[in-house]
Amino acid sequence: MDELFTEGAPIEDTKAPDGPLEERWDKRRFGGKLVNPANRRKLSVIVVGTGLAGGSAAATLGELGYHVKSFCYQDSPRRAHSIAAQGGINAAKNYRNDGDSIQRLFYDTIKGGDYRSRESNVYRLAQVSVEIIDQCVAQGVPFARDYGGLLDTRSFGGVQVSRTFYARGQTGQQLLLGAYQALERQVAAGTVEMFARHEMLEVIVVDGVARGIVARDMVTGEIETHTADAVVLASGGYGNVFFLSTNAKGCNVTATWRAHRKGALFANPCFTQIHPTCIPPSGDHQSKLTLMSESLRNDGRVWVPAKKGDTRRPGDIPEDERDYYLERIYPSFGNLVPRDIASRAAKNVCDEGRGVGPGGLGVYLDFADAIARLGRDAVAAKYGNLFEMYERITGEDPFDVPMRIYPAVHYTMGGLWVDYDLQSTIPGLFVIGEANFSDHGANRLGASALMQGLADGYFVLPNTISDYLAKGPFEKIGEDHEAVVEAREAVESRIEKLLSIDGDRTPDSFHRELGAVMWEYCGMERNEAGLLKAIDRIRELREEFWTRVKVPGENEELNQNLEKAGRIADFFELAELMCIDALHREESCGGHFCTASQTPDGEALRDDERFAYVAAWEYTGHAPVLHKEDLEYEYVKMTQRSYK
Ligand SMILES: Cc1cc2nc3c(=O)[nH]c(=O)nc-3n(C[C@H](O)[C@H](O)[C@H](O)COP(=O)(O)OP(=O)(O)OC[C@H]3O[C@@H](n4cnc5c(N)ncnc54)[C@H](O)[C@@H]3O)c2cc1C
């Protein structure tokens, strides 16, 4: 294993303030420099991504008066993947009087992440969560309301309070429409320039500092360079490295991977979230898996037949021959245990031969009790669109028969390393939302991604970036600057190379095979032999890709095969780093389950002595260098996580 990577100097978050936890965010804001409103007009920021993180950031920076260039690869900013988010967004409002507080959201998040995230960041996230809801309500986001007209909430996994605000099963869509309106307002005001259908393919780094991007106009193929005083990446997660995932098909790692190759450290790449409630795969033809929101576990009960190989229809299996295994094993949290725990439990019962549906890869999510207790209309009001989606895909009506669900790749906790200011190791390059590694440790709690994306975009970045921009005015960088020309040429020659191979395999066929390797060896369970095998196979496949891929068409047109091929080439490199990261972390924590490290009852067993750190990887072109950021817990005691 040694030759797979080397270890470098430790890394420290020098921006993290000290002092009492609850005062740190105030302290940092007060300590940071400001840019006066008249000077903001002279400063420019590129924001790549228009999801909840990038959309909210671009709108807010525009509102502050900076000149913003906003990029996305969709035809409209409001088609960013955030639109798919279903279940809700957390906030420590305690509207329910059920004992919630900023402290409790902080604690739940640290514990839920299996003690692999930073206390300062997570506390700030919990503080800011409260402001997000006010901001979105003011924008007109139609959150669900209770009978009395107050905002309604529901519960998500890993917590015992009800702090998730929602808009039916379309929370992401409604929040994104809010951010999009704010963004379009700035477009109309002239502070934000929008570049839809543009794919960023390189970062421009001048004297070690991020000063722009190279982007391809996806309709004409034109390669453009854009410079600015700072660059923000809000390009989302990389779950699609597994090919099959709940992410939108376009989600990819290119923006962050290109930055990684230019010097930005990549943190905890192996921390992947497998979501327990997805529609099981139904064959080899699929290119995507569908999430059934975690909110369904508020009312749905998860079970399998108590006996192995019981093929009776669910309705024919009497109560005392069913195993409501989550309620049995985890009586305190029941069906609302965190995702990593629920996913592994589902895998275990299926491995025991008690799974249901084709291939025995499924467990039931049953609403019969909820329908009897609340009535069909009440259940339809809460989950109607999710039930409809399930029925359209499977042909089965969840009002009549239980849903069948199985875990699937859903979210990536890993991402570019950032400090407390959300700045990467390339000065001037900030990373927000799912694209950074920050707040979720080894496992993200449900409804916390939207919270983090909007916290970063509306509240954190706009405050911290000013400390950096206050260093301006910055040197003007022309199109003919050596670093700009070099970055542009690198993009052009890569495109040429991809088009010229003219092999006999489609980009998708490589992606599918890579995904299968990752799912098998770097998915729900990892072990040394499997990961070593995966690394060998990934290297072979990558070599084959660069000699056999066929990319029809040309650059000067809409060419989706070309887009895919570029993204898959980056996925290959990322996949290898994910396996190396998983291999080196000889412990289990959150979503990273190493079979050699488990408790006697099969739960993840951390090794805090050796692994209580963030693994931040440096790109070298050969064996990557590992830099460790030690995690210190002053306010929370690291304990074995228990939801029993
Ligand atoms: C089905 C589903 C349901 C979910 N439900 C919930 C939920 O209920 N609650 C919750 O908290 N979380 C949920 N999540 C997670 C959450 O939706 C995401 O983590 C979050 O929306 C990510 O937001 P983002 O702004 O970081 O990135 P995204 O929304 O993924 O946006 C990425 C943006 O970057 C752009 N981009 C990327 N690469 C490039 C490039 N190279 N060049 C130009 N532009 C680029 C894209 O065009 C896009 O605009 C869900 C996820 C899925 C898959």
Side-chain angles (χ1 to χ4, degrees):
M1 175 156 86
D2 280 351
E3 69 276 16
L4 286 174
F5 70 93
T6 58
E7 192 171 332
I11 182 170
E12 207 188 323
D13 177 4
T14 53
K15 303 283 177 40
D18 50 16
L21 191 57
E22 56 282 7
E23 290 170 20
R24 289 181 187 171
W25 180 220
D26 268 353
K27 192 171 168 185
R28 178 66 194 125
R29 277 184 291 184
F30 188 65
K33 293 197 194 72
L34 301 179
V35 180
N36 94 46
N39 285 343
R40 289 182 206 148
R41 281 194 289 276
K42 299 176 205 152
L43 291 162
S44 55
V45 183
I46 284 173
V47 181
V48 179
T50 58
L52 285 173
S56 60
T60 310
L61 293 173
E63 178 92 37
L64 281 167
Y66 296 109
H67 179 70
V68 180
K69 285 180 167 185
S70 164
F71 292 80
C72 69
Y73 57 69
Q74 288 89 356
D75 56 352
S76 158
R78 77 192 151 83
R79 285 186 196 268
H81 161 65
S82 290
I83 205 162
Q86 299 171 349
I89 176 166
N90 288 330
K93 285 282 201 186
N94 194 29
Y95 282 170
R96 293 274 184 151
N97 266 336
D98 55 1
D100 202 6
S101 61
I102 287 170
Q103 178 70 23
R104 190 177 293 282
L105 174 51
F106 158 72
Y107 173 77
D108 287 344
T109 308
I110 293 271
K111 175 183 171 193
D114 219 354
Y115 306 91
R116 291 292 175 263
S117 48
R118 295 178 185 146
E119 282 189 335
S120 298
N121 284 55
V122 176
Y123 198 85
R124 173 177 66 188
L125 179 64
Q127 285 174 311
V128 168
S129 72
V130 176
E131 296 167 47
I132 296 172
I133 301 303
D134 298 342
Q135 163 91 2
C136 296
V137 169
Q139 286 173 341
V141 171
F143 284 120
R145 290 181 182 264
D146 68 14
Y147 179 74
L150 299 174
L151 295 190
D152 198 11
T153 52
R154 54 190 177 199
S155 298
F156 262 57
V159 306
Q160 289 175 311
V161 293
S162 184
R163 65 160 75 98
T164 305
F165 294 79
Y166 65 101
R168 230 170 150 219
Q170 312 166 339
T171 315
Q173 179 175 0
Q174 299 306 330
L175 291 172
L176 191 60
L177 288 173
Y180 169 73
Q181 288 172 91
L183 181 66
E184 287 301 309
R185 184 167 168 269
Q186 294 308 316
V187 171
T191 59
V192 176
E193 254 181 289
M194 189 66 229
F195 296 86
R197 286 311 232 158
H198 275 67
E199 181 162 28
M200 172 206 144
L201 296 174
E202 198 53 271
V203 192
I204 297 171
V205 179
V206 177
D207 299 330
V209 174
R211 292 303 310 270
I213 62 167
V214 181
R216 177 174 176 272
D217 179 323
M218 295 159 77
V219 180
T220 64
E222 192 183 335
I223 306 299
E224 302 169 4
T225 54
H226 296 266
T227 54
D229 298 316
V231 177
V232 179
L233 297 185
S235 50
Y238 51 84
N240 276 349
V241 65
F242 290 87
F243 188 71
L244 285 181
S245 88
T246 61
N247 289 10
K249 274 305 284 175
C251 293
N252 69 89
V253 77
T254 288
T256 49
W257 192 256
R258 296 280 116 199
H260 174 55
R261 288 178 62 113
K262 285 267 171 104
L265 300 191
F266 209 112
N268 299 334
C270 81
F271 286 174
T272 310
Q273 176 159 89
I274 316 275
H275 197 298
T277 55
C278 303
I279 300 182
S282 60
D284 294 338
H285 57 284
Q286 272 173 289
S287 59
K288 168 136 185 42
L289 296 174
T290 307
L291 173 78
M292 287 287 106
S293 169
E294 180 164 307
S295 60
L296 294 166
R297 285 197 276 142
N298 270 274
D299 288 306
R301 298 181 68 196
V302 178
W303 65 276
V304 287
K307 271 199 323 262
K308 249 174 155 175
D310 186 340
T311 52
R312 284 176 292 175
R313 285 182 307 183
D316 296 338
I317 303 179
E319 274 298 311
D320 60 353
E321 292 179 44
R322 298 175 176 193
D323 181 10
Y324 293 91
Y325 59 89
L326 290 177
E327 297 171 28
R328 173 174 61 78
I329 308 172
Y330 307 101
S332 301
F333 284 71
N335 293 296
L336 282 172
V337 288
R339 293 174 179 179
D340 54 336
I341 307 244
S343 292
R344 273 200 300 280
K347 180 176 187 305
N348 290 344
V349 293
C350 292
D351 288 352
E352 286 164 17
R354 297 194 288 140
V356 298
L361 292 180
V363 299
Y364 290 127
L365 180 62
D366 195 338
F367 294 87
D369 281 0
I371 295 165
R373 190 176 70 249
L374 306 168
R376 192 185 165 106
D377 290 349
V379 172
K382 273 186 170 171
Y383 310 115
N385 68 315
L386 299 172
F387 276 35
E388 196 180 308
M389 192 158 80
Y390 181 87
E391 188 180 2
R392 281 202 196 149
I393 292 172
T394 63
E396 292 169 5
D397 182 356
F399 281 109
D400 298 333
V401 285
M403 288 182 178
R404 279 177 300 106
I405 51 166
Y406 195 68
V409 172
H410 179 64
Y411 181 89
T412 46
M413 280 75 70
L416 290 184
W417 185 91
V418 287
D419 62 15
Y420 189 73
D421 281 3
L422 305 180
Q423 188 167 206
S424 73
T425 45
I426 302 179
L429 182 77
F430 292 76
V431 192
I432 60 176
E434 192 174 340
N436 73 25
F437 88 103
S438 67
D439 302 349
H440 309 292
N443 172 59
R444 172 176 71 79
L445 290 182
S448 285
L450 302 186
M451 172 173 71
Q452 184 224 329
L454 290 181
D456 288 0
Y458 281 133
F459 298 105
V460 180
L461 178 88
N463 282 287
T464 58
I465 202 171
S466 68
D467 187 50
Y468 178 79
L469 290 171
K471 296 189 179 102
F474 300 84
E475 180 202 349
K476 267 238 146 320
I477 302 293
E479 292 259 303
D480 55 350
H481 190 287
E482 193 189 343
V484 179
V485 174
E486 198 186 293
R488 182 197 184 99
E489 283 176 359
V491 168
E492 285 167 348
S493 72
R494 197 167 123 104
I495 290 176
E496 262 168 49
K497 170 107 205 274
L498 286 169
L499 287 166
S500 66
I501 297 168
D502 197 25
D504 57 357
R505 279 191 69 175
T506 62
D508 260 353
S509 78
F510 280 105
H511 193 180
R512 194 180 281 276
E513 203 173 334
L514 172 68
V517 172
M518 291 301 285
W519 178 244
E520 174 79 21
Y521 301 114
C522 198
M524 262 198 282
E525 275 188 15
R526 291 111 186 244
N527 63 56
E528 187 179 340
L531 288 164
L532 288 171
K533 203 164 162 182
I535 292 170
D536 282 346
R537 186 65 196 128
I538 291 165
R539 288 178 176 174
E540 281 165 15
L541 264 179
R542 188 171 65 219
E543 243 180 80
E544 198 180 325
F545 173 85
W546 283 106
T547 49
R548 283 188 60 190
V549 74
K550 179 163 184 80
V551 183
E554 48 195 48
N555 175 53
E556 288 71 29
E557 62 179 350
L558 180 71
N559 187 339
Q560 293 193 320
N561 275 298
L562 179 61
E563 293 161 21
K564 277 185 196 165
R567 295 170 189 171
I568 294 161
D570 291 333
F571 275 143
F572 274 122
E573 296 181 13
L574 165 79
E576 183 173 329
L577 186 66
M578 287 173 75
C579 292
I580 293 174
D581 186 40
L583 196 56
H584 108 282
R585 194 171 274 279
E586 293 166 345
E587 65 161 352
S588 293
C589 56
H592 169 63
F593 193 78
C594 165
T595 45
S597 182
Q598 42 184 312
T599 62
D601 47 357
E603 302 289 350
L605 181 62
R606 292 196 322 271
D607 181 346
D608 295 333
E609 282 287 307
R610 294 170 63 213
F611 292 103
Y613 60 77
V614 175
W617 296 93
E618 180 187 344
Y619 182 85
T620 63
H622 42 92
V625 181
L626 169 65
H627 300 271
K628 296 177 182 172
E629 179 198 331
D630 283 335
L631 290 167
E632 278 158 27
Y633 290 93
E634 292 173 64
Y635 291 85
V636 175
K637 194 168 163 320
M638 285 199 257
T639 51
Q640 170 67 32
R641 216 157 50 124
S642 169
Y643 292 93
K644 291 186 171 166

